[in-house]
Amino acid sequence: MRDISRIIKSATPTVFRNLEIQFMEVSPKLREVQRATMGAYAHELLGLHWFENLSQIPEPDGMATIYIAQEFFDALAVHQFLKTDKGWCERMIDVEVDPNAEFPFRYVLSRGATAASTVYKPLLPAGVEQVEISPDAYGIAETLGSFIGASDGLGACLVVDYGKVGPIESSLRAIRNHKIEPALLSPGEADLSVDVDFGLLSRGFRAGGDKHVDVYGPISQRQLLHSLGGVEKAYMLADSAEAESQKTAVLKSYERLSSPDQMGDIYKAMAVTHSDVPTPVAF
């Protein structure tokens, strides 16, 4: 958000001075980090606020509003279901009873339908035997879709995350020190993450928008960056660098973001706008 603020301030100072930025962050520690990061701009903005959940964020109420969800949906909780001769059963976590087991917890399958498999059955896709879904992701997309659909063309959302159009069978894993490890290896000591089901997000946005929103993508991050002039911008920044090491760092950073074998293809972008708004650039 600091980079976005810096660019808006440089390109359109008047717009920047009338910006009100709202963060949704549940972690008190990360809120403090964000406050420190945004501190240089706090006195120049119209407002800078933090909320713990979406229900606390005021509805746009006639104000132009852009929601940015960058690596947000991958951190939300998921349920995993398997189809059996008893119907949809849920994959759950139990304490490991074997003292020689590698992990302190284990996966178990419910003996039958659970409350979650019953309540979320409308979200389960047909024709699959195993699926992982995030009702929280669907619900947030639905709420944002309702905001955008009622915005009279003044609302939009950009989602950037890793994932694909589902269904997704099982993707839960832990990430520690930028390395992937089993989710049950060290509970509480690593971040949990999943692949985002962009198909489920699209359903949520459209359900909330009630035919008043358009959903674009997902497209690859590589396509998004290239379409927005990322290559040209990267070389401009590299050419303006004083040291050769800085020039190399800029070009390597862009390669990491856009290369198909790094972040370029696994990361996807989705845009949501009011149906009265033209197609966004790059989509």
Side-chain angles (χ1 to χ4, degrees):
M1 198 64 232
R2 179 181 60 184
D3 292 337
I4 293 175
S5 299
R6 174 176 53 80
I7 292 170
I8 294 176
K9 180 181 178 181
S10 174
T12 55
T14 302
V15 171
F16 176 79
R17 288 192 296 271
N18 286 278
L19 275 183
E20 184 171 346
I21 298 177
Q22 300 172 339
F23 286 89
M24 191 174 85
E25 177 57 66
V26 299
S27 167
K29 183 177 180 180
L30 290 179
R31 284 200 294 269
E32 290 306 313
V33 172
Q34 291 164 353
R35 284 191 177 94
T37 301
M38 295 296 296
Y41 298 114
H43 67 285
E44 301 179 68
L45 295 164
L46 186 63
L48 189 58
H49 309 284
W50 276 262
F51 301 93
E52 290 187 8
N53 55 67
L54 191 58
S55 65
Q56 296 176 340
I57 298 178
E59 294 189 29
D61 193 25
M63 296 182 63
T65 305
I66 299 176
Y67 302 95
I68 299 174
Q70 181 177 14
E71 292 189 70
F72 169 76
F73 286 105
D74 68 273
L76 300 182
V78 295
H79 291 267
Q80 294 180 351
F81 302 103
L82 283 79
K83 184 176 287 186
T84 71
D85 55 2
K86 299 178 182 178
W88 283 106
C89 293
E90 186 171 5
R91 193 183 190 199
M92 310 181 85
I93 297 174
D94 193 8
V95 175
E96 178 57 76
V97 295
D98 182 356
N100 299 316
E102 182 181 5
F103 303 150
F105 295 94
R106 60 175 179 164
Y107 292 111
V108 297
L109 193 63
S110 67
R111 296 177 180 177
T114 63
S117 67
T118 302
V119 172
Y120 302 132
K121 191 173 182 179
L123 298 180
L124 303 182
V128 299
E129 302 297 318
Q130 179 177 344
V131 66
E132 174 184 272
I133 65 167
S134 174
D136 288 342
Y138 179 89
I140 290 174
E142 187 176 26
T143 299
L144 294 179
S146 69
F147 288 171
I148 296 169
S151 69
D152 293 328
L154 297 176
C157 178
L158 176 65
V159 179
V160 179
D161 223 318
Y162 45 87
K164 63 179 183 179
V165 175
I168 294 172
E169 289 190 356
S170 176
S171 69
L172 179 65
R173 68 270 186 173
I175 300 177
R176 179 165 48 175
N177 298 325
H178 305 289
K179 294 182 179 180
I180 295 175
E181 61 183 43
L184 302 185
L185 178 61
S186 304
E189 299 179 10
D191 294 328
L192 296 179
S193 179
V194 297
D195 288 348
V196 174
D197 183 347
F198 282 92
L200 187 68
L201 289 187
S202 179
R203 288 170 59 189
F205 282 121
R206 294 180 190 278
D210 191 26
K211 300 181 181 180
H212 297 296
V213 302
D214 288 329
V215 180
Y216 300 91
I219 62 174
S220 68
Q221 179 169 279
R222 173 172 51 88
Q223 181 181 343
L224 176 70
L225 293 175
H226 286 359
S227 298
L228 294 175
V231 175
E232 294 80 4
K233 183 64 175 178
Y235 276 98
M236 287 175 59
L237 290 173
D239 289 342
S240 65
E242 296 181 0
E244 190 65 28
S245 60
Q246 292 176 319
K247 179 176 181 177
T248 301
V250 168
L251 296 180
K252 283 189 174 181
S253 294
Y254 187 78
E255 181 183 8
R256 180 174 63 87
L257 292 171
S258 61
S259 174
D261 58 353
Q262 296 190 57
M263 297 172 63
D265 280 353
I266 191 173
Y267 276 77
K268 304 291 192 301
M270 172 178 280
V272 186
T273 67
H274 191 276
S275 54
D276 291 340
V277 175
T279 302
V281 175
F283 289 90

